[in-house]
Amino acid sequence: AVPGVRVEVYVKPGDAKRALRQEVLQGLCGSPKELSPRWLYDERGSQLFDDITRLPEYYPTRREREILLAHAGDVARLSGATTLIELGSGTSEKTRLLLDAMEEAGQLSRFVPFDVSEAFLRRAAASLAREYPGITVHAVVGDFEHHLSRLPGGGRRLVAFLGGTIGNLKPTERARFLRELSSGLQPGDGLLLGTDLIKDRARLFAAYNDSAGVTAEFNRNVLRVLNRELGADFDPEAFEHVAPFDEHNAWVEMRLVSQRTQSVWLSSLKRRVDFAEGEVLRTEVSCKFEQARVEAELDAAGLGLAAWWTDGAGDFALSLALK
Ligand code: AVJ
């Protein structure tokens, strides 16, 4: 046990495997074929995403950091929060910018990183506790779908959901997520939300179809995950990555396109899955926003927009909303 660290576990290692099997049965055996982006992030996938954040075409990470550098102090002051709850991640430089600003304002008492990966979270919690010896680190191993109601109470809380990850939820899922999150908050608690903004189509396209092919490898990696976890025999090279912007839904969607007619055997499920030539497997949607939409969706969940900040180029936004 690490001093100053408490870890609460709602997700057990076997749960992920069960959820994956369930999802693959539903998502790959119907049409159109779809998987949740959750499965993109095994160890290699997380490394590839990290590489993506440093690509010249992939602007969101840099833009959000720019906004936090300029406004972390405002976030601390306007939220008045003593507890920072971070959904996903918990090791990033962005987390530290927020913790530093709260510490500087003399109001930081607790950090609550929330993530599905127990091993990842334990490492993150231990190193944050070492870096911020004066605070309590209370890590929660859970997933957004089932365990939002388990966020620890007490003090004035700020929930940070950064990176634009909320864009991975489709509108109905997003409404449910925001409602559940909001229902667990007390008046005065806040949400700091990162959202990518609608922009020039060529730049949106380039960000998800980079010239070095890192995003393509990140996308195809999900097939390697299925091979390993479900004893499948996908040939990742038989699928092509493409991520077009869907104007109607205002989202970028990552697709794997089958390059030929092929069958894949999923040995742990004892199922065969057939792909036609050109058939699409959707692996992620990444919604892009404008201010009015973010404000309306927050409002519908009972969260009032208190501040809206963008980077200098207007590429990305951080919203502070209060219950
Ligand atoms: C981590 C979900 C915010 O949607 O931009 C990057 C993931 N997918 N390139 C995003 C991602 C393709 C990323 N999020």
Side-chain angles (χ1 to χ4, degrees), residues 40-41 49 52 58 60 163-165 168 207-208 215 218 254 284-286 288:
L40 293 163
Y41 299 91
F49 176 66
I52 287 172
Y58 192 77
T165 302
N168 283 173
Y208 291 83
T215 308
F218 172 65
M254 283 218 302
E284 177 186 71
V285 302
S286 188
K288 307 305 166 193

Side-chain angles (χ1 to χ4, degrees), residues 41 49 52-53 58-65 67-68 86-90 92 94-95 98 144 159-168 191-197 208 284-289 315-319:
Y41 299 91
F49 176 66
I52 287 172
T53 65
Y58 192 77
Y59 58 84
T61 311
R62 280 187 296 276
R63 298 310 196 210
E64 190 178 50
R65 181 186 306 132
I67 302 168
L68 277 173
E86 189 177 25
L87 303 183
S89 147
S92 68
K94 293 181 253 181
T95 311
L98 286 170
F144 302 160
V159 177
F161 192 29
L162 302 176
T165 302
I166 192 161
N168 283 173
L191 169 65
L192 183 68
L193 185 66
T195 48
D196 194 12
L197 300 178
Y208 291 83
E284 177 186 71
V285 302
S286 188
C287 293
K288 307 305 166 193
F289 297 87
D315 284 342
F316 196 91
L318 270 189
S319 303

Side-chain angles (χ1 to χ4, degrees), residues 65 68-69 72 93-102 132:
R65 181 186 306 132
L68 277 173
L69 275 168
E93 183 194 343
K94 293 181 253 181
T95 311
R96 287 170 177 78
L97 288 172
L98 286 170
L99 290 172
D100 289 348
M102 290 168 69
Y132 297 86

